[in-house]
Amino acid sequence: QVQLVESGGGSVQAGGSLRLSCAASGYTASGRYVGWFRQAPGKGREGVAVIGTASGTASYTDSVKGRFTISQDNAKNTLYLQMTSLKPEDTAMYYCAASLLDRIDFPLTPVWYTYWGQGTQVTVSS
């Protein structure tokens, strides 16, 4: 059974930093896409940062480029999202997700991801 467990969310002031972690069990990311998504109240789920583990290529939504960094520790089967220069508009529930695909043309699209964590809340105050 696949389990994705996020941690590291919290409340910070604008300009602050947080690091999210996603520990996976029952799933091997090797060659597949994994990533982070978020959903703010009243909005749809959007892709934040994903990585194709075969190529190591990361994709970011435009609003977080230069501020967020996705990384993985294969030995620990853990995915990270380092978030810096946080803004109030980054406030959302953040979800870790894993796909069964090794090739995705639009990897920030949630539909391609099969497994989802329960989410961790990030709140940024101005």
Side-chain angles (χ1 to χ4, degrees), residues 26-81:
Y27 173 85
T28 300
S30 179
R32 298 167 172 169
Y33 277 81
V34 292
W36 293 94
F37 295 76
R38 66 186 178 187
Q39 188 165 15
K43 295 187 177 181
R45 192 167 296 189
E46 68 164 342
V48 176
V50 300
I51 187 167
T53 59
S55 64
T57 300
S59 300
Y60 298 90
T61 192
D62 287 346
S63 63
V64 308
K65 287 180 180 177
R67 301 189 297 122
F68 291 12
T69 303
I70 188 172
S71 62
Q72 57 183 332
D73 184 330
N74 292 329
K76 296 182 179 180
N77 215 19
T78 300
L79 186 70
Y80 302 99
L81 183 68

Side-chain angles (χ1 to χ4, degrees), residues 10-16 86-91 122-126:
S11 296
V12 296
Q13 290 191 326
L86 283 160
K87 303 176 180 180
E89 50 264 44
D90 294 319
T91 294
V122 172
T123 302
V124 185
S125 58
S126 57

